[in-house]
Amino acid sequence: MAKTPEEIADAMHKMVKDAFGVKKYKPMDLNKAMRELFGDEVDKKTCKEAIKLLVNSGRCVYTYFGGSFLEIPHREGAAND
Amino acid sequence: MADKLPNTPKLDELEKGKWPSFVKEIKMAAKKSPMCADLLGQLEKSYTEKVGYWKHGGIVGVMGYGGGVIGRYSALPKEFPNVSHFHTMRVNQPAGWYYNTEALRKICDIWEKHGSGITNLHGSTGDLVLLGTRTEELEPIFDELQKINFDIGGSGSDVRTPSCCCGQSRCEWACYDTMAACHDFTMEYQDELHRPAFPYKFKFKFSGCPNDCVASIARSDMSLIGTWRDSIQQDDAEVKAYVDGGLDIEEDVISRCPGKCMAWDGKKLEIDNSFCRRCMHCINVMPKALRPGKDRGATILLGSKAPIVEGALLSSVLIPFIKMEAPYQELKDIIERIWDVWSEEGKNRERVGEFIQRVGMGNFLEAIEVEPVAEMVAHPRENPYIFYEEFFEEDDDEEGDKG
Ligand code: SF4
Ligand code: SF4
């Protein structure tokens, strides 16, 4: 059965959270990982919707380090008070 | 208000001469803004010690957006506390960079209230750039910009703010409505502009004719350059008037025609339009006598970039001629296919032009379902990427494999 954007968002969030501090994922990495994990139950469009949900809700934020990544909100290393 | 400006003997050198000086402007702004005073201090220290004292921030932005804010912090926050945060905001400029003074005043008022007050009109992508603010000011600035109908632009691995020449609003050479196209693409690709999902940046630039005033052929991943496919419009009486007026038509026009397709017999100018490269040279020299043809559209080119990560590239032809009429659906379908292939297969920080070089033009065209055509090749037998498979026997391949 097709996965909902909410279910995909949860799976993506777990992936990003588990990798925090070790690896940064680009949105397309997450999109590809979900298609590998859920096969025919997801498509690229629903994965894009899931990313939108994650970012609009503040569960993930975009970051830029040479390229754009999705991460758990955190205090960044370069920040000053 | 800054009490006293820092001592800046090195920066002061840049105020000399009759040209505009960014130091003079920052000093003027520093009379109102302590941020600008510390900016001068930090810059002078960088010039003296030959060290840059900025740290790039990766996380700052506004809620829901992944682009438009470039995070920057001072590496010397104790010494220069007012530039401890100094983030840049990119504001999506109107098509053709037309503002009325009321709009500019409103933007400046917002910026003086929430930021340093200094701007850069415009950045190389085309955005109106607001230089220097604190993290906690980003959302209030964004809210206020939205109230006056401005949005922030692109940054990171997304569609960068599209830009265009003034086109038909002021220029008689425009072969399509660049401002309408630029606005349409900007609105169509809002998601791609604000939510980075690509391997790296993707720029659109719209030039109304091959004079290419926005340098799209060198500065954008997709260059949309106006052109015509019929014959140059010619007024023989005006050609003669140029010659009678002293124009050396042989030297200044005919010998410089890259298509070598013009001839002058002393009375009449002949143009073999089938060899014309649509370069605009003759039209620029004799604007009263020659004009672009009447059947107008654009050439779509792909792949240019400035030298970041790898060397510079110029765009090369993807679609020799397309009518530029809203809703531009045929072109948008091709763009979607390009993004699909590049997003799936592109490496991190690989621009689309570099991607094409890596996978080969033939494979790329096959993946985006575009037929190779002669206009994609600069000179005969020079492009190793395109093979016409109907000329290959299956056995040829097998023989090759054994070798
Ligand atoms: S690119 Fe061509 S149409 Fe556009 S402003 Fe320049 S000369 Fe005019
Ligand atoms: S537009 Fe350029 S190529 Fe064409 S006739 Fe004029 S000079 Fe020659």
Side-chain angles (χ1 to χ4, degrees):
Chain A
M1 204 176 78
K3 295 279 173 205
T4 63
E6 288 76 11
E7 287 171 311
I8 301 169
D10 286 344
M12 284 179 172
H13 186 258
K14 181 171 177 340
M15 217 176 129
V16 172
K17 202 168 150 208
D18 291 349
F20 182 67
V22 181
K23 181 171 168 47
K24 293 183 207 299
Y25 289 111
K26 293 180 74 68
M28 187 45 80
D29 299 336
L30 295 171
N31 196 316
K32 280 182 188 167
M34 293 301 115
R35 282 181 277 143
E36 243 168 59
L37 186 67
F38 297 119
D40 291 346
E41 294 174 281
V42 300
D43 58 22
K44 283 186 205 174
K45 219 172 138 226
T46 332
C47 290
K48 268 175 98 174
E49 283 300 309
I51 291 174
K52 220 182 236 186
L53 286 177
L54 285 175
V55 175
N56 288 353
S57 65
R59 291 170 79 198
C60 283
V61 288
Y62 286 107
T63 59
Y64 181 81
F65 295 95
S68 299
F69 297 89
L70 271 176
E71 294 188 73
I72 301 293
H74 61 279
R75 186 189 150 81
E76 61 177 331
N80 295 329
D81 290 327
Chain B
M1 182 171 148
D3 299 335
K4 196 167 150 276
L5 292 186
N7 195 22
T8 54
K10 287 212 157 48
L11 290 181
D12 295 349
E13 289 296 312
L14 298 175
E15 284 188 281
K16 294 177 183 164
K18 54 191 172 185
W19 29 82
S21 157
F22 73 94
V23 173
K24 198 190 272 173
E25 299 299 322
I26 300 176
K27 280 186 179 174
M28 215 144 67
K31 289 181 188 152
K32 281 191 190 171
S33 157
M35 215 175 215
C36 293
D38 271 2
L39 177 63
L40 288 168
Q42 177 165 315
L43 198 54
E44 179 74 16
K45 188 173 174 99
S46 284
Y47 276 32
T48 307
E49 300 185 356
K50 300 191 172 70
V51 178
Y53 286 111
W54 295 117
K55 299 185 284 181
H56 241 306
I59 210 169
V60 287
V62 296
M63 184 76 169
Y65 279 27
V69 178
I70 294 99
R72 194 176 292 114
Y73 298 98
S74 170
L76 305 167
K78 287 204 173 74
E79 200 174 339
F80 303 106
N82 295 308
V83 289
S84 165
H85 298 202
F86 199 76
H87 312 313
T88 291
M89 284 188 101
R90 292 185 179 153
V91 179
N92 194 142
Q93 81 287 3
W97 296 287
Y98 284 102
Y99 305 86
N100 59 23
T101 49
E102 192 191 348
L104 286 172
R105 279 182 213 288
K106 283 179 180 166
I107 292 174
C108 290
D109 286 346
I110 294 171
W111 194 235
E112 287 193 348
K113 186 168 147 204
H114 297 283
S116 72
I118 53 174
T119 61
N120 168 14
L121 272 79
H122 290 87
S124 59
T125 302
D127 305 85
L128 188 162
V129 183
L130 304 176
L131 294 158
T133 190
R134 295 188 58 82
T135 306
E136 62 273 19
E137 298 288 354
L138 294 171
E139 289 289 349
I141 294 166
F142 182 53
D143 282 351
E144 291 204 34
L145 284 172
Q146 295 222 317
K147 280 185 199 140
I148 59 166
N149 293 324
F150 279 92
D151 194 359
I152 57 177
S155 67
S157 307
D158 59 10
V159 165
R160 295 301 182 85
T161 316
S163 71
C164 64
C165 74
C166 60
Q168 291 172 345
S169 69
R170 273 183 32 186
C171 183
E172 60 189 315
W173 303 141
C175 294
Y176 71 95
D177 189 344
T178 52
M179 289 172 59
C182 183
H183 182 70
D184 181 290
F185 277 58
T186 305
M187 299 315 283
E188 174 88 20
Y189 297 126
Q190 280 291 295
D191 246 11
E192 288 75 7
L193 212 159
H194 298 306
R195 300 174 187 276
F198 296 148
Y200 205 17
K201 61 185 98 169
F202 191 96
K203 297 185 179 185
F204 288 106
K205 287 195 191 294
F206 303 79
S207 278
C209 81
N211 281 334
D212 196 10
C213 291
V214 288
S216 68
I217 200 161
R219 306 292 298 277
S220 59
D221 298 271
M222 180 166 277
S223 323
L224 302 96
I225 301 179
T227 189
W228 62 96
R229 61 180 165 186
D230 54 350
S231 300
I232 290 174
Q233 299 181 67
Q234 189 173 332
D235 181 332
D236 289 331
E238 288 290 352
V239 174
K240 192 164 177 311
Y242 274 107
V243 175
D244 292 347
L247 174 72
D248 186 342
I249 193 166
E250 281 291 348
E251 175 63 23
D252 294 338
V253 181
I254 292 170
S255 73
R256 296 181 190 196
C257 165
K260 304 267 175 278
C261 59
M262 308 180 93
W264 170 250
D265 64 2
K267 286 186 213 126
K268 175 147 172 64
L269 178 70
E270 294 288 349
I271 304 176
D272 181 349
N273 279 276
S274 60
F275 283 93
C276 169
R277 307 267 174 94
R278 275 75 179 159
C279 77
M280 290 294 290
H281 171 67
C282 58
I283 297 172
N284 289 336
V285 178
M286 301 190 287
K288 287 187 187 161
L290 303 175
R291 311 181 64 75
K294 289 181 178 159
D295 187 5
R296 297 175 177 192
T299 299
I300 311 300
L301 304 94
L302 196 64
S304 75
K305 60 176 283 283
I308 315 172
V309 189
E310 288 191 21
L313 292 173
L314 291 178
S315 287
S316 58
V317 173
L318 181 71
I319 305 170
F321 185 88
I322 192 165
K323 281 283 188 189
M324 285 297 283
E325 284 156 4
Y328 317 97
Q329 200 50 52
E330 193 189 339
L331 181 54
K332 286 175 184 169
D333 290 344
I334 294 175
I335 292 168
E336 290 292 333
R337 296 202 292 274
I338 292 170
W339 285 348
D340 242 19
V341 175
W342 174 52
S343 297
E344 283 287 325
E345 309 294 340
K347 294 182 186 171
N348 190 26
R349 302 193 82 192
E350 184 174 52
R351 295 283 284 270
V352 75
E354 293 160 348
F355 173 72
I356 294 170
Q357 286 196 325
R358 179 166 64 81
V359 302
M361 186 62 148
N363 294 329
F364 177 73
L365 292 176
E366 204 175 316
I368 63 165
E369 297 161 37
V370 169
E371 285 292 314
V373 289
E375 285 90 340
M376 294 172 183
V377 180
H379 301 284
R381 297 181 194 86
E382 237 185 41
N383 190 321
Y385 302 122
I386 295 172
F387 296 96
Y388 289 90
E389 282 172 4
E390 57 265 39
F391 298 119
F392 276 96
E393 299 291 335
E394 268 188 24
D395 286 354
D396 291 349
D397 263 357
E398 282 166 21
E399 284 301 311
D401 287 348
K402 280 176 205 157

